Amino acid sequence: MRVLITGCNGQVGHCLVEQLAGHAELLAVDRDQLDITDSVAVDTTVNEFKPDIIINAAAHTAVDKAEEEAELSYAINRDGPKYIAQAAANVGAAILHISTDYVFAGNKDGLYVENDETEPQGIYGQSKLAGEKAVIEACSKHIILRTAWVFGQHGNNFVKTMLRLAKDRDTLGIVGDQVGGPTCADDIASALITIAKQVVSGKNAQYGVYHFSGMPHVSWFEFAQTIFEQAEEQELLSSKPRLNSIATADYPTPAKRPANSKLDTKKIEQAFNIQPSDWRSALTDLKPYTN
């Protein structure tokens, strides 16, 4: 299996490289090696390597900055995926593309399924949705994997932020009225590799849009509670900070966050036998998150 990974230094990209090393012919690139917004560079790289699978883990994920950097967000989140998908189609490769819960308004009661109406509320979500559409249009052999609340040992994320803040603060206010499924980056990488293997083998090429995230669904406040319980158990903190549940309105941000980020993962379970991310077990060794 020949695999091209873009965004290899991001949270998920890093995990993909770790898990695929020694198990695939791998070309892993980040922005320094390949500017995905340069269509000629993308074409050249893909034509030279001729991958079976391209996993696009590159994205502009700074949700608040995106409100000021719309042009950059669309270049990375829409144009880049379009060029990658076009190049994939030209060499007969499949593209696996990571997307987000932010394509939804976040005001639904219950879980979001793949064919629910999309209604992104900010530039980040709008640019990611535009990227989904560009990939679907450019390459028939596509998998769009929407996920949410990503955390891992590499890069910046909520778990690392909580552990860092706990060193200096006795009390923290955490948003309690946004609910979703924390998702371990390692599990996202594992899910993508499972799909890639089935697609390349030809046994199960069920192309389309899929949701993959963690269970059980919790609020950010409940997620933080679990992080600190684990940190205390693992003796990474001498004592937990006191947590106060606050409303989204009490913590204004430039970009609107979805109140409901709960993704229904039944489709990916049925198609590829992939279970939701067990985010609680991913927190049983927090030491790497403190580095």
Side-chain angles (χ1 to χ4, degrees), residues 19 183-192 212 274 276-279 281-282:
Q19 292 183 32
T183 314
C184 178
D186 271 309
D187 294 337
I188 298 171
S190 179
L192 288 165
F212 177 77
I274 292 171
S277 174
D278 183 357
W279 62 267
S281 70

Side-chain angles (χ1 to χ4, degrees), residues 111-131:
L111 279 59
Y112 277 99
V113 296
E114 285 80 357
N115 60 359
D116 274 334
E117 182 181 357
T118 52
E119 191 183 347
Q121 299 295 295
I123 297 298
Y124 171 64
Q126 290 163 8
S127 64
K128 289 295 288 181
L129 180 60

Side-chain angles (χ1 to χ4, degrees), residues 38-102:
D38 181 340
S39 61
V40 175
V42 170
D43 278 342
T44 300
T45 298
V46 172
N47 286 332
E48 287 178 355
F49 183 63
K50 291 187 169 53
D52 302 307
I53 294 277
I54 303 175
I55 304 178
N56 180 36
H60 187 257
T61 58
V63 175
D64 289 325
K65 273 189 174 181
E67 294 300 308
E68 303 169 4
E69 301 175 344
E71 189 174 335
L72 179 63
S73 294
Y74 274 96
I76 298 172
N77 294 340
R78 177 196 60 196
D79 301 343
K82 174 185 175 181
Y83 301 147
I84 294 167
Q86 288 173 337
N90 288 341
V91 297
I95 177 170
L96 277 53
H97 174 70
I98 302 170
S99 193
T100 174
D101 58 299
Y102 276 73

